[in-house]
Amino acid sequence: MRTIIEPFRIKMTEPLPITTRREREAALTSAHDNVFLLDAEQVTIDLLTDSGTGAMSDRQWAALMLGDESYAGSPSWRHFEKTVREITGFKHIFPTHQGRAAERILAATRLKAGNVVPNNSHFDTTRANIEYVGARAVDLLTPEGLDLYSEKQFKGNIDLARLEQLIEAEGEENIPFCMITVTNNAGGGQPVSMKNIESAKELLRKHRIPLIIDACRFAENAYFVREDEKGFADRSLLEIAQEMFSLADGATMSAKKDGMANIGGFFACNDDNWAEDFRNLLILTEGFPTYGGLAGRDLEAIAVGLMEALDYEYQRYRHATVEYMAARLVSRDIPVVRPPGGHAIFIDAAAFCPHLAPCDYPGIGLVNALYLEGGIRAVELGSVMFGKPAAGDRGEIAAPHELVRLSFPRRVYTQSHFDYVIEVLDLLRQQRDSIKPYRIIKQAPFLRHFTAHFSCDA
Ligand SMILES: *Cc1c(COP(=O)(O)O)cnc(C)c1O
């Protein structure tokens, strides 16, 4: 059959808020023109993030009931540990309340001011945690990865030549670890090839630099490897994931992504000293090492979810949904990052709004127009999220791209929901000149996009 269907049926429903234009205008104004500050009941289709927003399966709901809430040594912890170890092979496994907690403890225990951490692209929380301890987060995408419209596969690959130059320039002793993010969320959700991880590991091994995988979407990445990389077509997604983790020295994970859960994360590694330091800080800030800030029931749901994410039929359907939307946007002349990544569609807001400069935050203009027109919530990944105040004067260094991300929560929306989003975007494209410039009128020193207040005076 050519039609790829959802490999599940719906057992429970949740009503969607349907709002009027006037209600949305009032809501956005009270949210200081920042969709992060909207109440969820004011949003009809919420594509803000795929993080923690998925629908759990009947198996996961059943697993919740098996959750054992013992403080230490709970069987739910052992189920979690056994599953994570089966997939990753790592010796030490630590649950955390979400991905950034793993990043924070990793940064606090392994980095000092002046250190450098390379990555294909750092996600915003990863970068913030590295910068918070005074280290430098360096993105090393390949030229194809930086080209939004190149049809090349594995555009999430780390640039090996630039990695080598960075090691020469900074010195291996100043690089406590290198990261690779699969798939590359900040760079369009693009996958990383097994070959690239293997070659990076070879180079890092020569310099005794450990490799940490930011594994949030490890199963989606495994699907791309199986479909598009030579030699993997008859391997299971689990085998592919196992091979990938075998190349690394550790991993940070947000279970809110390919853990198919609503909360949770973990850090895993092989080195005993790293584990000792991590454990000590974990106890101080997250909890005892057999629960790490999670309830026993969460550990159960994650253990089931991690394996469900590796189900081939599930990944095939998920990717078909992304492809469905991308193909329809392209045929309507809407500039989307090519080829589509694993968990989201990224619209090039700079190309969508040619009348706006980066300092007008075209991504915010498009995000707010999507909300006002259709009650759809998306997120800017442009100069608000990744831009920086320039030294000296009051200007800003713009981000390399002005993107708007429409993330796909896992197993939540149906095809007609996506048809609706396509229709709204088509309408906005026809009236794109009316998309307005925005200014920031209040911001925090880190992760400003979450809480900034905007105003548009046009
Ligand atoms: C979500 C995400 C994180 C952080 O995880 P949280 O659970 O949101 O703290 C880190 N890296 C990447 C690539 C992510 O997508």
Side-chain angles (χ1 to χ4, degrees), residues 110-119 122 130 133-140 162-163 166-167 169-179 209-210:
R110 298 266 68 89
L111 298 179
K112 53 185 193 324
N115 283 162
V116 173
V117 180
N119 199 329
H122 293 270
I130 290 168
V133 296
R136 198 147 55 84
V138 180
D139 292 345
L140 297 175
R162 289 175 66 205
L163 177 59
L166 184 82
I167 297 170
E170 301 291 338
E172 59 192 43
E173 64 291 340
N174 198 32
I175 304 178
F177 56 87
C178 171
M179 296 186 81
I209 299 170

Side-chain angles (χ1 to χ4, degrees), residues 204-218:
L204 294 166
R205 190 182 285 123
K206 274 194 275 182
H207 295 279
R208 294 180 300 278
I209 299 170
L211 172 63
I212 304 297
I213 303 274
D214 178 338
C216 296
R217 296 177 184 78
F218 74 98

